[in-house]
Amino acid sequence: MADFKKLQSYVLTRLEAELDPNLSYHSVEHTIDVLEAAARIAQREQRTDEEIELVKTAAVLHDAGFLIQYFNNEPVACELAAKWLPQFNYTPEEIDAVQVMIMATRIPQTPQSELARIIADADLDYLGRNDFFTIGQRLYREFLRHGVVDGEQSWNRLQVSFLESHDYFTDTALDTRSAVKMHHLQELKNLVNSYI
């Protein structure tokens, strides 16, 4: 039987020790945040205990690729999952399911399974939460450092286009996060309109 607790301890310890400290958003705190959101959504979606454990496994591993590279990190996380999970008694079928979930966190999100829809929503749970702007500032700093944006105006324009194109997949996220997300979008649109 898979040993999620040992895997969780192993991965979080490695992320804590080895992630670039300049990753202000894709940090171990983000992984823990996604893990908590994934468990909550999976329970609300009435998934089995085994499915919830697989979702939590994918959540812990979904950003492990950042240990090796910044861009296109999801396939790297899948490789690490294939390497690490057998040591914690995961079956080949479970590893496949986890890899499908990890790839669902790639932007733009196109989840290929029911469980992948849960992890996709968990990864972007903050879009519909009250800490949206606080967490967004962490992502802004990280994007500036990696040349994704060149200042606040390009960042806020990016946020508007991202929120306009983003959809939640699970009933839980649609019910609990959509309204607040739309409120954030309107605030950002007002801000961007003031630039003109």
Side-chain angles (χ1 to χ4, degrees):
M1 194 163 140
D3 193 338
F4 169 71
K5 283 283 177 219
K6 277 192 179 158
L7 171 80
Q8 178 182 8
S9 173
Y10 173 77
V11 176
L12 293 180
T13 300
R14 290 209 48 178
L15 294 177
E16 189 83 64
E18 298 172 39
L19 274 180
D20 178 348
N22 292 315
L23 291 176
S24 47
Y25 175 82
H26 289 104
S27 61
V28 72
E29 289 78 19
H30 167 71
T31 295
I32 292 166
D33 184 60
V34 173
L35 173 61
E36 289 169 356
R40 179 178 47 77
I41 295 169
Q43 281 166 341
R44 293 259 320 238
E45 294 287 310
Q46 299 182 321
R47 292 292 161 183
T48 66
D49 290 346
E50 292 78 13
E51 288 172 326
I52 292 169
E53 192 139 292
L54 278 182
V55 168
K56 286 162 65 175
T57 299
V60 163
L61 287 164
H62 85 283
D63 277 347
F66 282 98
L67 291 167
I68 293 162
Q69 66 191 43
Y70 190 77
F71 295 103
N72 197 29
N73 59 82
E74 296 87 359
V76 180
C78 288
E79 288 170 28
L80 292 173
K83 186 172 152 189
W84 293 343
L85 288 175
Q87 301 166 47
F88 299 94
N89 298 322
Y90 284 79
T91 67
E93 295 75 23
E94 289 169 333
I95 294 167
D96 287 346
V98 167
Q99 290 174 320
V100 167
M101 284 187 266
I102 290 169
M103 291 308 296
T105 65
R106 177 188 257 178
I107 306 296
Q109 294 179 324
T110 53
Q112 301 296 312
S113 72
E114 287 296 315
L115 297 184
R117 293 157 76 93
I118 294 171
I119 197 81
D121 285 353
D123 194 27
L124 295 175
D125 187 61
Y126 86 99
L127 297 180
R129 294 193 326 226
N130 293 331
D131 57 358
F132 168 77
F133 288 102
T134 305
I135 291 176
Q137 275 303 304
R138 293 181 207 148
L139 187 56
Y140 170 58
R141 288 198 308 275
E142 192 177 296
F143 275 7
L144 266 182
R145 183 176 293 276
H146 287 90
V148 179
V149 296
D150 60 9
E152 274 201 31
Q153 291 197 12
S154 71
W155 161 242
N156 287 323
R157 286 192 173 95
L158 178 65
Q159 288 205 96
V160 167
S161 64
F162 184 72
L163 285 173
E164 283 181 332
S165 66
H166 171 264
D167 289 305
Y168 283 120
F169 298 98
T170 62
D171 289 342
T172 298
L174 287 164
D175 292 346
T176 62
R177 297 294 185 236
S178 289
V180 174
K181 184 187 84 168
M182 297 315 290
H183 180 73
H184 296 324
L185 174 59
Q186 192 54 55
E187 281 187 74
L188 287 165
K189 279 182 168 174
N190 295 344
L191 189 60
V192 166
N193 289 338
S194 75
Y195 299 153
I196 299 160

